[in-house]
Amino acid sequence: MSNNKTNRWLILFTGIFANLCIGAAYSYSVFRKPLMVLLGATASQVTIPYTLSLALMPISMIIAGKIQDKKGPKLTMFIGGLIYSAGFLLAGYAKNIQFLYISYGILGGLGLGAVYSCTVVNTVKWFPDKRGLAGGLISGGLGGGSVIFAPLGVSLMKTYSPLSTFQIFGGLFIIVISIASFFAVAPPAGYKPEGWTPPVAKAGNTLNVSIDKNWRQMLSDPLFFTAWITLIIAAVSGIMIIGFASSIGQEVVGLTPAAAAIGVSILGVANTLGRPIWGSISDKLGRYNSMIVMFIISAASMFLLSTMASSFSVFVIALIGIGSCYGGFFGLYPAVTGDMFGMKNMGMNWGVMFTAFAPAAIFGPMLAAQVRAINNGDYSLAFMIAGGLSIIGIFLTLFSQSIVRKNKINAMAAEMNSK
């Protein structure tokens, strides 16, 4: 497929389908109770495969990002899809919960990160004129996976076991991701869409100054650690609720499994739509202003969930707020990383930045599980802690914004002095 004839929207479209498949990881909450019964596992034990898959995702993103920056995304995405699908297929043979740690958790997480790195980074490179929107749309596929696979999983488990359902999913994923990988073509260096001219930096306007850093230079920049901690905080609430939405609906609100699955799907829709919506908003409102608004909504939603989640309507309102902001953060952060450290090495840089997902994936679900166990099924303290962290995220975002502005002013001054 020649770059001169490549349709970038086709790359975006097929990448969304691949991300829908790996987004099935977000439907895990509908499997928790059936797996507890089938394998005789505790709630904390059943949480570990989900936590492992998300925690290992950044590791494979770094590896895949480095390979992608040098060799291109096509083969990397294909291999990642094979590993991810194998995780689901092998999970169908689990006789105990420990086998799920290896199959669904380790293999699934490594494949998940490889595919996600290829789809998001490659697509954003194809859309320098619509970076926020493109990042939101492509990552929206990841959030959309639960919209499809949560109710589908519940439906299939009425006829098949949870393990057979894993195998059905794995067979579907290997087909879809393999086809999508064929279209994963990297843009030429310095690619610009036809008819688009990059904005020219003017005196007093630091937003368009380019700063390109490799991962080593990025790690030596204090801005990285501020942004990294901010991303952990941004992810905690969403990961916690995504992993426990079905259980919260049944245990706290008193919903049936089918009604709780509807809540999971609504959460998935919010997660999906939040990515392109907030991405598009950020292209106009600004990355950091958008993040501040998302932290405010996320905090309010967690506090609402901790104090008033006694009806389906309140439960859904909280899920929409949490899901849309969680999706918005991950739709926005690839663009934020590019804005902070440049697009040249974004494959590797975004993988390193995404390591923030690992501690969030461990802390969020395990916090909810432990609080539930200690407080006899009451999750409220976990929700309050997550809401408080979101408030801290507001201040970290403001601090990051000031550092970015200072860095770009310095870069612009150096550029002007060199002329």
Side-chain angles (χ1 to χ4, degrees), residues 67 100 105 188 195 205 237 244 297 358 360 363 371:
I67 296 173
L100 279 183
N205 180 6
S237 295
F244 282 82
I297 294 174
F363 178 72
V371 167

Side-chain angles (χ1 to χ4, degrees), residues 236-251:
V236 163
S237 295
I239 294 176
M240 176 193 296
I241 300 305
I242 288 169
F244 282 82
S246 181
S247 298
I248 293 168
Q250 294 176 62
E251 298 170 10

Side-chain angles (χ1 to χ4, degrees), residues 155-216:
S155 179
L156 287 172
M157 283 188 286
K158 292 179 181 178
T159 305
Y160 306 99
S161 73
L163 303 184
S164 296
T165 302
F166 281 146
Q167 291 186 324
I168 293 170
F169 282 0
L172 174 64
F173 299 158
I174 197 170
I175 294 172
V176 175
I177 298 175
S178 295
I179 294 173
S181 68
F182 174 79
F183 297 93
V185 180
Y191 169 76
K192 299 175 185 177
E194 185 176 350
W196 178 73
T197 302
V200 178
K202 298 179 181 179
N205 180 6
T206 64
L207 296 178
N208 301 318
V209 179
S210 176
I211 299 175
D212 279 315
K213 295 188 175 184
N214 60 36
W215 69 272
R216 292 184 182 86

